[in-house]
Amino acid sequence: MSASPATLNDYLAEKRSAVLARDAHIDAGTAQATALLANVSAEGRSGVRRIRIREHQVISDSPPSFAGYNLGPSSPELQLGVLGSCVTHIFLIQAAAQQVPLTSLDVEVSGVIDPRAGKPGHEATPVWPHDIAYTVHIDSPAPRADIEALFAAVERTCPILNLLRQPQTIRASVEHRDSLKQAA
């Protein structure tokens, strides 16, 4: 992109070009899967989590009530933000692909995390964010039917939304070393 688009609809025109080019790669069989990698480390005395993805960094922290410094959102808050970001992006992709004009787009995501989860008397309370909901606020001159078709396409194709809705298998391992023992 050379200059910033003046309006959301100007951006959607640029997005449409990118979507059409991506679709052409898919149709030609030249598109390839992307391996995603995030590296997260706990920082020194603070416990702040530094998330590194490509050349980007995000800080995750806890509020002071949970021994944090409030330097960034907590992991559950980030998860809700990631969902909102993905839903917003897929709305933009689908609006560009379907040529649905948008004056503005805002996605609000909410959820509940209960600190009593798993404790006596709250064993059935989920330890993960639950009661997750999102509301999309769209300002558009498009007919209601176009907005409903746009919403259906987003619900069908949003990767993070569908990741959260579908059961997942996650492989895990622990590599342990004792650097204090190795230094002696």
Side-chain angles (χ1 to χ4, degrees):
M1 292 173 31
S2 52
S4 295
T7 68
L8 186 55
N9 284 316
D10 293 334
Y11 170 76
L12 289 177
E14 290 181 22
K15 182 62 106 176
R16 180 168 172 72
S17 295
V19 167
L20 292 173
R22 182 175 180 254
D23 287 349
H25 281 292
I26 292 168
D27 293 344
T30 58
Q32 296 183 17
T34 302
L36 304 175
L37 175 66
N39 180 276
V40 183
S41 59
E43 301 281 318
R45 300 177 311 184
S46 69
V48 167
R49 282 84 60 204
R50 184 176 304 272
I51 304 165
R52 293 176 186 87
I53 303 169
R54 291 185 285 131
E55 63 274 7
H56 307 287
Q57 294 188 45
V58 177
I59 298 294
S60 178
D61 195 11
S62 301
S65 63
F66 205 46
Y69 294 92
N70 206 31
L71 298 174
S74 68
S75 299
E77 291 166 328
L78 279 171
Q79 182 61 63
L80 296 182
V82 166
L83 173 59
S85 175
C86 195
V87 166
T88 302
H89 189 223
I90 301 304
F91 260 98
L92 294 172
I93 290 170
Q94 292 297 329
Q98 297 177 28
Q99 296 184 297
V100 175
L102 300 178
T103 305
S104 68
L105 173 66
D106 182 58
V107 177
E108 182 178 289
V109 182
S110 63
V112 173
I113 192 150
D114 192 331
R116 303 169 298 173
K119 304 287 186 207
H122 297 277
E123 294 85 358
T125 302
V127 298
W128 55 87
H130 56 282
D131 293 333
I132 297 172
Y134 74 92
T135 303
V136 180
H137 304 274
I138 294 179
D139 183 354
S140 172
R144 180 72 185 176
D146 290 355
I147 300 302
E148 289 172 5
L150 180 62
F151 179 59
V154 169
E155 287 273 303
R156 187 177 59 257
T157 63
C158 181
I160 300 301
L161 176 62
N162 287 292
L163 171 78
L164 293 171
R165 285 183 169 160
Q166 300 300 316
Q168 301 298 315
T169 300
I170 299 174
R171 295 180 312 278
S173 63
V174 174
E175 294 181 10
H176 175 239
R177 70 175 190 266
D178 184 345
S179 60
L180 295 178
K181 186 183 277 185
Q182 292 171 352

